[in-house]
Amino acid sequence: ETGVTQSPTHLIKTRGQQVTLRCSSQSGHNTVSWYQQALGQGPQFIFQYYREEENGRGNFPPRFSGLQFPNYSSELNVNALELDDSALYLCASSLAPTGAQGTQYFGPGTRLTVL
Amino acid sequence: AQTVTQSQPEMSVQEAETVTLSCTYDTSENNYYLFWYKQPPSRQMILVIRQEAYKQQNATENRFSVNFQKAAKSFSLKISDSQLGDTAMYFCAFMKPANTGNQFYFGTGTSLTVIP
C-alpha cells in the first residue's frame, strides 16, 4: 500500500509569484486535506476536498485554491505569494471525510520558501 | 470559534517512565473528534490515538492512552514505558464535522524528549 506522497519536497519562490503543490492520496482514499505549518507552530487547516468538491475551508484568503482530480490526487495553488506564506505545507488523506474512516494520514510535506 | 491549547511547550521524561501531555479545547459542539498526532524530527505526522466525543470510554493504543474529560474539555495523552523513539513533537487536534464542511484545529504542540 502506497502512502501519501507530496511534490516537490522543497520550493523557493519570490514574492508575487504563483505556486502549485501536489499530493497523491493513499490508495483507496477519496478525501484530501491541506494544512499550512509555520515554523514552530501547529498545522493550520486550509481546506478539504471530498470526491472533487471542497468540503470545508479554514481561515485562508481566496488566493489559496485547490483541486481534486478523479483519481483523488490533489493540488494546492497559491497566487500572489507573500513572505508569510513561507511554511511547510502538509497534505493528508482519509478513506472518508469524517467518522471512523476519517482518520487522516499525512504526507511528508512541501517546504515553501518565499523570498 | 474552536481553539486547542497545549500549555506545555516542552517536556522530558526518562526512558521507561510515564509522561502525560495536556490538551484543552474550547467548543460549543457536542459531536466532534479528538486526536493526538506525533511529528518526529523527520517531520511526517503520524496519528497516535483518536477519540470520538460521544464515546465515554477512553481510547487506548498499546502504550498510549487518553484521559478524555468532556465536561472539562480536557484531552490528555499518557505515554507509558517511554521509549527513545517517542521523542517528537506531539500535537493535539480537534475535528468538527459539519454539513457545510469539516473543520480541523491543531494545538501549538508539545516537544517531548525521552532521556536515555
Side-chain angles (χ1 to χ4, degrees):
Chain A
E1 183 177 273
T2 306
V4 180
T5 61
Q6 293 186 243
S7 62
T9 305
H10 296 89
L11 201 54
I12 299 175
K13 292 285 189 178
T14 56
R15 195 170 49 181
Q17 285 189 310
Q18 178 267 341
V19 68
T20 297
L21 309 182
R22 294 178 175 83
C23 171
S24 290
S25 58
Q26 191 163 313
S27 177
H29 289 193
N30 60 19
T31 305
V32 173
S33 301
W34 285 92
Y35 295 85
Q36 179 194 68
Q37 187 178 18
L39 199 61
Q41 300 295 316
Q44 298 290 315
F45 174 62
I46 302 175
F47 43 57
Q48 181 182 78
Y49 277 83
Y50 168 57
R51 292 184 175 178
E52 304 178 59
E53 298 285 332
E54 189 178 284
N55 186 50
R57 188 180 181 93
N59 189 26
F60 279 80
R63 59 189 186 84
F64 286 79
S65 62
L67 279 174
Q68 187 179 32
F69 300 99
N71 66 355
Y72 302 133
S73 65
S74 177
E75 287 183 353
L76 164 64
N77 299 288
V78 187
N79 294 322
L81 283 167
E82 301 177 359
L83 297 179
D84 285 348
D85 296 334
S86 293
L88 180 68
Y89 287 84
L90 298 170
C91 166
S93 74
S94 56
L95 282 168
T98 187
Q101 296 183 321
T103 297
Q104 298 191 334
Y105 296 85
F106 282 81
T110 293
R111 172 70 65 188
L112 172 65
T113 302
V114 182
L115 303 176
Chain B
Q2 277 68 220
T3 59
V4 178
T5 302
Q6 294 179 250
S7 59
Q8 305 151 314
E10 296 181 0
M11 293 190 72
S12 61
V13 62
Q14 290 290 138
E15 194 175 4
E17 296 294 310
T18 295
V19 64
T20 298
L21 279 55
S22 300
C23 173
T24 58
Y25 58 94
D26 185 24
T27 184
S28 58
E29 304 291 326
N30 192 48
N31 179 31
Y32 52 87
Y33 299 82
L34 294 163
F35 307 86
W36 278 98
Y37 284 93
K38 168 185 176 181
Q39 190 175 39
S42 64
R43 86 184 178 200
Q44 189 139 6
M45 195 86 71
I46 304 165
L47 177 71
V48 175
I49 200 165
R50 61 176 277 148
Q51 174 82 42
E52 290 86 347
Y54 62 85
K55 290 187 177 179
Q56 292 185 331
Q57 187 173 7
N58 289 325
T60 299
E61 286 288 341
N62 301 314
R63 298 182 295 108
F64 299 89
S65 62
V66 298
N67 183 6
F68 174 46
Q69 301 290 328
K70 191 172 183 179
K73 298 179 184 176
S74 171
F75 183 60
S76 61
L77 173 70
K78 185 172 82 171
I79 306 174
S80 304
D81 185 25
S82 297
Q83 301 175 358
L84 296 179
D86 294 334
T87 292
M89 184 71 82
Y90 286 80
F91 292 99
C92 177
F94 170 100
M95 188 192 90
K96 182 185 78 168
N99 293 332
T100 54
N102 299 324
Q103 295 290 328
F104 298 86
Y105 304 88
F106 279 71
T108 52
T110 295
S111 178
L112 177 67
T113 301
V114 179
I115 302 167

